[in-house]
Amino acid sequence: MENSHSGEPQSARAKTSDDLSKKILGSIQGKFTGEETAHWISHVDQEPVAAVINTHSEPVRLSSVAFLDKLFDDFQRYAFELSKAEATEGREVICNRPVAPPTALAQHTESHVIFQGTLVSEPWALVMQAQTHKIVAYIVPTENLSTFAGRESFFSSYIDIDESMEDGATVWKVDGQTILDSMLSYLSKKLFGLLLRVAGGVALPAERFSMDANSREALNLSDRLAQNRRALLGAYENYAAGVDYEVNQLSIIAMKGIQVLDKDHSRELMLRTNHLKMWREKLLAMGEELQQILAE
């Protein structure tokens, strides 16, 4: 029995199927690629520089598990880009996303590992562990991976990312620097690139994480801009709240004046309250304009 495409040439059907496959593949690849990432991958043996400053950056406030998972989102994209790059042909990174290790449920200390993921570029691996208030990374030989759990004390960590409290809110710090959301790509590139340099024999596995002077200055500037934005918005919100309070108080006093038949003061209070309400509307519009300015 002929199917509904019997009038369509076989070569045309094959071409249509091929085009559809390319569209699907392109859609998948689009999630993992980008010009900036591709450029960095082609120069992966060089240190990444945190040169992008975002005025609207905020401190990372994720849990240790969510933080680690976000880093592995970047690692997965980098591994995909590396597999396509001609300049890095023959180099491969296997990305094993974080999972709860078998021993996690049996431990109840602050320092126990609750999530662990690995990047492997033979003959070395980057092991990243999330504890309750800390993220730690190690560079270890792949032959030690199977026995690594519980033997972390035999190895020196490459990086320690520590949870801290600032102004009553959770932040994360590394090398004395508060980690902003705009810093995450720099951090993930630094980790990914180190593994490849160690695997390629151009870096030592005992190397300790540190930011170069340019990156530190760029991130400090970003931190200052973010602090300035938060301070201005906080000052505006406090001032607007004060105006709201005064409007409410004037309304209450005016009502009391009406109740005691003090018409002259009641009229004056109502007039002032209405004028203040109109001015408050202008203040709200100015607040929206301020947020737009600070987001640029």
Side-chain angles (χ1 to χ4, degrees), residues 123-126 137-141 155-159 194-195 197-209:
W124 293 93
L126 173 72
Y138 303 85
I139 299 288
V140 302
F155 299 86
S156 298
S157 62
Y158 166 66
I159 188 173
L194 175 74
L195 173 62
R197 289 194 295 276
V198 171
V202 295
L204 296 175
E207 180 182 333
R208 179 73 180 169
F209 175 91

Side-chain angles (χ1 to χ4, degrees), residues 99-126:
V99 296
T103 56
L105 297 177
Q107 300 177 10
H108 301 283
T109 63
E110 287 290 305
S111 61
H112 84 270
V113 178
I114 53 179
F115 234 43
Q116 176 174 299
T118 59
L119 291 179
V120 177
S121 183
E122 291 289 353
W124 293 93
L126 173 72

Side-chain angles (χ1 to χ4, degrees), residues 1-283:
M1 180 181 295
E2 294 184 354
N3 59 32
S4 58
H5 299 288
S6 58
E8 183 180 354
Q10 185 175 358
S11 59
R13 292 200 302 275
K15 183 178 184 303
T16 300
S17 177
D18 185 53
D19 290 343
L20 181 60
S21 298
K22 289 180 179 178
K23 287 181 180 180
I24 294 173
L25 180 60
S27 176
I28 294 173
Q29 291 177 346
K31 298 177 182 178
F32 296 95
T33 60
E35 291 183 8
E36 181 183 343
T37 300
H39 175 75
W40 171 72
I41 284 293
S42 64
H43 301 84
V44 73
D45 287 331
Q46 301 175 12
E47 282 281 328
V49 178
V52 177
I53 300 173
N54 297 321
T55 59
H56 57 281
S57 292
E58 294 289 344
V60 173
R61 304 196 190 279
L62 301 170
S63 68
S64 61
V65 170
F67 193 162
L68 185 58
D69 208 45
K70 196 167 185 64
L71 290 175
F72 270 81
D73 285 342
D74 285 347
F75 295 156
Q76 192 168 357
R77 184 168 65 254
Y78 301 157
F80 176 83
E81 201 70 53
L82 182 72
S83 68
K84 302 191 309 164
E86 294 181 3
T88 57
E89 188 174 353
R91 308 178 77 174
E92 181 184 20
V93 172
I94 299 172
C95 180
N96 300 307
R97 294 193 66 95
V99 296
T103 56
L105 297 177
Q107 300 177 10
H108 301 283
T109 63
E110 287 290 305
S111 61
H112 84 270
V113 178
I114 53 179
F115 234 43
Q116 176 174 299
T118 59
L119 291 179
V120 177
S121 183
E122 291 289 353
W124 293 93
L126 173 72
V127 181
M128 295 205 66
Q129 298 178 333
Q131 301 172 8
T132 305
H133 302 292
K134 192 183 188 75
I135 294 174
V136 189
Y138 303 85
I139 299 288
V140 302
T142 53
E143 63 189 28
N144 294 121
L145 282 179
S146 60
T147 58
F148 184 74
R151 302 184 65 195
E152 291 88 344
S153 59
F154 291 94
F155 299 86
S156 298
S157 62
Y158 166 66
I159 188 173
D160 293 84
I161 305 173
D162 296 294
E163 185 183 79
S164 183
M165 296 294 291
E166 285 188 358
D167 300 325
T170 298
V171 298
W172 291 89
K173 292 194 173 185
V174 61
D175 198 21
Q177 176 73 48
T178 298
I179 301 175
L180 305 178
D181 50 21
S182 59
M183 181 183 171
L184 287 175
S185 63
Y186 163 78
L187 193 60
S188 60
K189 286 175 182 175
K190 183 97 170 174
L191 291 162
F192 191 91
L194 175 74
L195 173 62
L196 285 173
R197 289 194 295 276
V198 171
V202 295
L204 296 175
E207 180 182 333
R208 179 73 180 169
F209 175 91
S210 64
M211 288 183 287
D212 60 68
N214 289 335
S215 294
R216 181 179 289 280
E217 185 60 26
L219 292 167
N220 282 335
L221 288 172
S222 183
D223 196 8
R224 291 172 192 169
L225 284 169
Q227 289 177 2
N228 174 261
R229 176 178 181 269
R230 291 194 296 272
L232 285 173
L233 287 176
Y236 165 78
E237 290 170 358
N238 288 336
Y239 185 68
V243 172
D244 282 338
Y245 176 80
E246 290 302 325
V247 168
N248 292 332
Q249 289 300 305
L250 282 174
S251 298
I252 292 171
I253 296 171
M255 291 303 296
K256 287 184 177 180
I258 293 173
Q259 290 172 0
V260 298
L261 303 179
D262 187 346
K263 294 182 180 179
D264 291 338
H265 285 106
S266 296
R267 188 180 300 109
E268 181 182 348
L269 286 166
M270 292 299 293
L271 184 62
R272 183 180 298 178
T273 300
N274 289 333
H275 285 165
L276 198 55
K277 284 181 177 179
M278 288 188 290
W279 188 78
R280 182 178 60 181
E281 293 301 318
K282 295 179 182 178
L283 183 63

